Amino acid sequence: MNVDGDDGHGMVPDPLLLDDDIEALLRGAEPSVAARHLLPFVRGVRAAGDDPAPRPTAELARVLAGIDTEVAPVAVLPKVRTARVTRRRAAARRVAGAALAAKLAVGATAAVAGVAGAGALHVIPGAPGEAVRRAIETVTPLELDDDRGRADDGPAPTQPTPATTPDGTGGEHGDRVSDDATGADGSERGVDGPTVADQAPGADRRAEGAPAGPPASVPAHGRGGAGTPDSEPPADDETPGAATPPGASGATGQGAGAATAGPPSTVPAP
Amino acid sequence: MTARDRFAGTFPSVLAAARSGDGAALGQIFTALAPVVEGYLRLQGAAEPEDLTSEVFLGVFRNLHAFTGDEPAFRSWVFTIAHRRVLDERRRRARRPPPEPLSSAPETPARDDVETTVGDVLAAEQVEALCRRLSPDQRDVVLMRVLGGFTIDEVATALGRTPGAVKALQRRGFRAIGRLIELEGVPR
């Protein structure tokens, strides 16, 4: 069908366009009648590649300028983001995209965790810190150190301490206190409270800064129980009671020397 | 001028220099082939043909060490990379169709527009409009043959098809163009 008349430019599309017609058209040879109407299209397509080179992007411009000489394969180029950075950003995006209530909950949780951690690490001084530590010990199985760094003593026992003397040589502390109180062992009736406390099981785990107790006004009843009254304090406070020869001193027992400076006091017998 | 003679016989030395990172050689490759690649991407309907052209050549330059062959093989390789970018963009568009244009301008030129064509060359917009009317497979073949200047076998290699399939696509594509020109006008 002649579209535009008989002026010589009219083109008659041939539905039976053959491969040879196309090859001749693409070679630039005189197109066949069947392919002549395609010539403007072919020229137009080729003209699309005759423009000047496009402006390179900044990244490519660096390469072309020799600034970025990295022409290594893409596979060995470093990743732009590490997985850790990506995870942090993903977490930040999740929080940012959360509802207001969720954000408040996240913030409150973080604040509580921060205060608890600070309290446990003794960053919070004084009573507030002590309150936080007590709260943590109440609601968790943790037992936190006191301010004097008792962590050096090792983990706190979770089982009740056996009722033995501090030096661990045997004998029930309760029985001895009872004997002292009643004078059953022939000594004066009554017991010295601080001394009893110091000799009680677990006394060594109490705070060293506790107020010093009064000296024993009754015969000391350390291990061996010789009952030398008001004997001199041990020469060396660090000397454990077990190292003291029996009967050498009435004030025996671990840490007893520290409790000999105060005024005497008696505990009435029941 | 087709892409076939743009290195004027200096391709081996240019390639060797480019492999060593020489900026001038890299620029020579870009200047020689980027116009054709950009034209191919634009007629394929790429949204940002200029930026996509740069992406293509970044990929080319970063993989120069892996290429072996002469200039026709190099051009075929470059076009293969460009075609992969086209396929990537097609997949992205399939997942997220582009927004509808605000104006409802006709895609194909009216007869009066055709008559404004200078000489026997269709205007760029008309060529683009006709290419959009082809199926993607037909467009791949027609553009590689006309704009890239590749043989049937080279196109078959680049597209991963048989030469017979490429010939069939080429035939149907050119016939479709002929019918469109018949129906919508030809330049005087």
Side-chain angles (χ1 to χ4, degrees), chain A:
Chain A
M1 179 177 63
N2 191 324
V3 177
D4 289 327
D6 298 323
D7 57 0
H9 291 284
M11 309 211 177
V12 182
D14 184 355
L16 297 178
L17 183 69
L18 302 177
D19 292 340
D20 288 344
D21 299 325
I22 297 171
E23 294 301 324
L25 179 68
L26 296 180
R27 276 199 311 270
E30 183 68 22
S32 66
V33 174
R36 189 174 297 162
H37 64 292
L38 295 172
L39 188 55
F41 171 76
V42 170
R43 288 173 176 168
V45 170
R46 285 180 173 158
D50 288 340
D51 292 337
R55 180 193 301 272
T57 59
E59 187 179 4
L60 180 59
R62 284 195 298 272
V63 174
L64 296 176
I67 299 172
D68 182 1
T69 59
E70 179 58 79
V71 290
V74 175
V76 302
L77 290 177
K79 298 294 183 186
V80 175
R81 296 174 185 154
T82 64
R84 187 167 51 185
V85 171
T86 303
R87 283 196 297 271
R88 274 204 302 266
R89 291 182 178 175
R93 279 198 297 271
R94 279 197 294 273
V95 172
L100 178 61
K103 289 176 182 174
L104 292 174
V106 170
T109 302
V112 169
V115 170
L121 295 172
H122 308 292
V123 175
I124 302 175
E130 186 61 33
V132 170
R133 285 190 290 278
R134 275 202 303 271
I136 293 173
E137 289 177 334
T138 302
V139 300
T140 70
L142 300 174
E143 187 168 342
L144 302 175
D145 302 332
D146 60 17
D147 287 341
R148 305 170 82 87
R150 210 173 60 200
D152 293 341
D153 297 336
T158 56
Q159 298 296 325
T161 303
T164 57
T165 52
D167 57 6
T169 55
E172 291 203 2
H173 180 68
D175 292 343
R176 213 169 35 249
V177 171
S178 177
D179 291 343
D180 289 346
T182 59
D185 58 355
S187 62
E188 184 181 352
R189 295 178 61 185
V191 296
D192 177 45
T195 302
V196 170
D198 288 339
Q199 292 178 345
D204 57 333
R205 294 192 184 87
R206 284 196 293 272
E208 294 175 11
S217 60
V218 294
H221 38 260
R223 178 185 47 78
T228 307
D230 293 334
S231 57
E232 295 178 355
D236 186 356
D237 289 346
E238 297 295 325
T239 303
T244 305
S249 170
T252 61
Q254 196 171 15
T260 57
S265 66
T266 57
V267 177

Side-chain angles (χ1 to χ4, degrees), chain B residues 23-60:
Chain B
L26 295 170
Q28 194 172 347
I29 291 175
F30 181 75
T31 303
L33 296 179
V36 184
V37 170
E38 192 216 357
Y40 176 76
L41 296 172
R42 188 171 66 248
L43 293 180
Q44 284 279 15
E48 302 287 344
E50 287 194 5
D51 290 350
L52 202 55
T53 300
S54 288
E55 279 188 37
V56 168
F57 279 91
L58 280 171
V60 168

